[in-house]
Amino acid sequence: MSAAGEAPGLTVHSHPATAEMHARDSESDSEEPVMAEAQARDSAAEIPVTSNGEVSDSQEERFKWDMKHMMTGGPTLKETRIVSSSYGNPSEGIIEAETYRGGLKNAQSGPVVITDEISKNIALEKLEQMKKWSISTYKCTRQVLSEKLGRGSKTVDLELESQIEILRETKRKYENLLRLARQMASQFYQVVQTQRQLGDVFGELSVKSPELHEEFGYNAETQKLLCKNGETLLGAINFFIASVNTLVNKTIEDTLIAVKQYENARIEYDAYRTDLEELNLGPRDAVTIPKIEQSQQQFQIHKERFDKLRTSVSIKLKFLDENKIKVMHNQLLLFHNAVSAYFAGNQHQLEQVLKQFHIKLKAPGSDGPSWLEEQ
């Protein structure tokens, strides 16, 4: 049984859904104007076909021309893409064309940075550093505990250790000296301020009490002179305090920092020395020999660092002792002469002490520069 309008030579077998298919054909006939408009809009990208699937004669030449340019890869080279749709869709059988982008991606110019690889390398490097730090910390902690428990051996330079202990004791004594000198300067400053106020009161009473004018006047001049000499002595004491403070908290402290580094290097040296000795006491086979060689390398590295720091500390202690003697000789001479001249009432000698040590006194009330002077 053949349907009307079908091409000759094609037969359609009967099927239970034949009536339904004829109904859809009738609907497609009603939608032909809509498809015609869609074909007119997309004529460059569509291939019209007849009911039996053959290319129409009117579009055959156009189709051949498009295929020729697609195969030759000219400027109108296109990349076809089949649009899937449901059965009965008006656009079924249409092949859309898009601009051809080529089979290979365009290579980007300039250096190519592989961030993932760099991040991975950084993470591995940090992990290796953490591993080395953990191993070193474990060995040093074990060495310190064994020394405190009396089970481990300790490398001791008796001469250097005695010098370090003397230096620490000297620092403690100089810190006490510095504390007392500051306390004296603070208390003496209060005395000078009281003398100044007392001299002002004596001077005021000298004016307002004619019957005791001379007596009040003598006391006012005496207190003012003592106040002036007291300020001179305070200048010498403050200079002494500043010099001792520099010696204690700068020079000696820097040397003690070097001593601390030396002591840490000594602990590391003993830790790796103990580790190497333990490995040497064990069996030697294919597993332990590489460990012994690696431990020997680490031991040599820490031994060189330990020897270097020990030499450096010895030199610093020697120069520190010479510098300490020179500084304290001058400062003790200054302190003695200034205090003796003040309590002897020798104003000229007190001023000579300041000139000898190049000490300049600040004017009263000029503890710091004003904001106009700083501009």
Side-chain angles (χ1 to χ4, degrees):
M1 179 177 184
S2 62
E6 290 181 348
L10 296 176
T11 60
V12 178
H13 297 281
S14 61
H15 193 272
T18 304
E20 182 179 356
M21 294 176 62
H22 282 288
R24 291 184 178 178
D25 290 338
S26 62
E27 291 177 2
S28 62
D29 293 336
S30 62
E31 292 177 358
E32 286 180 359
V34 179
M35 292 181 63
E37 293 179 1
Q39 290 175 357
R41 289 194 303 269
D42 302 326
S43 60
E46 297 178 1
I47 304 175
V49 296
T50 60
S51 59
N52 62 357
E54 296 179 354
V55 180
S56 64
D57 295 335
S58 61
Q59 297 297 330
E60 185 175 2
E61 296 297 327
R62 176 71 175 265
F63 172 74
K64 292 180 178 180
W65 186 84
D66 287 340
M67 291 297 295
K68 179 180 179 181
H69 281 268
M70 289 173 64
M71 297 302 294
T72 57
T76 58
L77 186 61
K78 300 292 182 178
E79 179 182 4
T80 59
R81 176 171 58 90
I82 299 176
V83 180
S84 62
S85 59
S86 60
Y87 178 79
N89 195 310
S91 61
E92 182 180 2
I94 297 175
I95 302 177
E96 297 181 356
E98 294 180 350
T99 303
Y100 179 73
R101 297 180 177 83
L104 298 176
K105 295 183 179 179
N106 295 331
Q108 297 180 354
S109 60
V112 179
V113 180
I114 305 176
T115 56
D116 292 341
E117 189 68 21
I118 294 176
S119 301
K120 183 179 179 181
N121 292 336
I122 293 175
L124 291 175
E125 183 179 355
K126 290 184 177 180
L127 182 62
E128 186 65 22
Q129 292 177 356
M130 180 63 68
K131 181 180 177 181
K132 292 180 180 179
W133 177 83
S134 301
I135 294 174
S136 178
T137 303
Y138 166 74
K139 291 180 182 294
C140 294
T141 304
R142 184 183 63 178
Q143 176 66 26
V144 172
L145 291 176
S146 63
E147 289 178 3
K148 290 183 177 180
L149 295 175
R151 297 176 181 176
S153 59
K154 177 181 177 181
T155 303
V156 178
D157 187 335
L158 295 178
E159 182 180 359
L160 186 60
E161 292 293 333
S162 62
Q163 292 177 358
I164 292 173
E165 186 59 32
I166 291 173
L167 176 62
R168 286 174 173 158
E169 183 65 23
T170 301
K171 184 185 179 184
R172 286 192 291 268
K173 292 180 179 179
Y174 278 23
E175 286 175 343
N176 187 42
L177 173 64
L178 188 61
R179 180 184 61 83
L180 292 175
R182 285 172 173 169
Q183 184 177 351
M184 177 181 176
S186 177
Q187 294 173 352
F188 194 74
Y189 174 80
Q190 298 297 329
V191 172
V192 171
Q193 295 302 315
T194 302
Q195 288 175 341
R196 178 181 286 108
Q197 294 174 3
L198 190 60
D200 293 339
V201 172
F202 281 148
E204 183 179 356
L205 291 175
S206 175
V207 174
K208 295 183 178 181
S209 302
E211 65 280 4
L212 297 173
H213 173 72
E214 293 183 0
E215 289 80 357
F216 279 124
Y218 293 153
N219 283 278
E221 292 178 359
T222 301
Q223 294 301 320
K224 290 180 180 180
L225 179 61
L226 290 174
C227 180
K228 180 180 179 182
N229 292 341
E231 291 176 349
T232 305
L233 178 60
L234 273 177
I237 295 175
N238 288 332
F239 186 79
F240 172 82
I241 292 173
S243 299
V244 176
N245 180 68
T246 301
L247 176 64
V248 173
N249 295 320
K250 294 295 179 64
T251 309
I252 296 180
E253 185 63 27
D254 290 343
T255 305
L256 288 177
I257 290 174
V259 170
K260 186 64 177 178
Q261 294 175 352
Y262 157 75
E263 291 176 344
N264 292 336
R266 197 275 308 165
I267 294 175
E268 293 178 353
Y269 164 74
D270 283 337
Y272 282 91
R273 177 184 56 79
T274 303
D275 189 47
L276 180 61
E277 290 175 354
E278 292 176 355
L279 289 175
N280 287 328
L281 293 176
R284 290 179 175 268
D285 51 25
V287 178
T288 59
I289 288 178
K291 293 182 179 180
I292 294 175
E293 293 177 354
Q294 183 179 5
S295 180
Q296 179 67 38
Q297 293 176 358
Q298 293 295 326
F299 167 75
Q300 191 64 30
I301 292 173
H302 288 85
K303 182 179 184 301
E304 292 176 358
R305 183 171 182 267
F306 170 67
D307 292 338
K308 181 178 179 181
L309 287 175
R310 180 173 59 181
T311 304
S312 176
V313 168
S314 299
I315 295 173
K316 285 187 176 183
L317 287 174
K318 180 180 178 181
F319 282 112
L320 173 62
D321 189 62
E322 295 176 357
N323 187 32
K324 178 192 67 176
I325 293 173
K326 181 179 179 180
V327 170
M328 291 307 299
H329 171 77
N330 293 332
Q331 295 305 315
L332 291 173
L333 185 62
L334 163 69
F335 191 87
H336 173 267
N337 292 342
V339 172
S340 298
Y342 172 80
F343 285 100
N346 192 338
Q347 181 181 0
H348 177 72
Q349 182 181 355
L350 187 59
E351 293 176 353
Q352 291 297 321
V353 171
L354 298 186
K355 291 180 181 180
Q356 178 183 356
F357 292 92
H358 308 285
I359 302 174
K360 294 182 180 180
L361 297 178
K362 295 181 180 179
S366 61
D367 294 337
S370 63
W371 65 274
L372 287 175
E373 294 174 343
E374 294 178 350
Q375 300 300 320

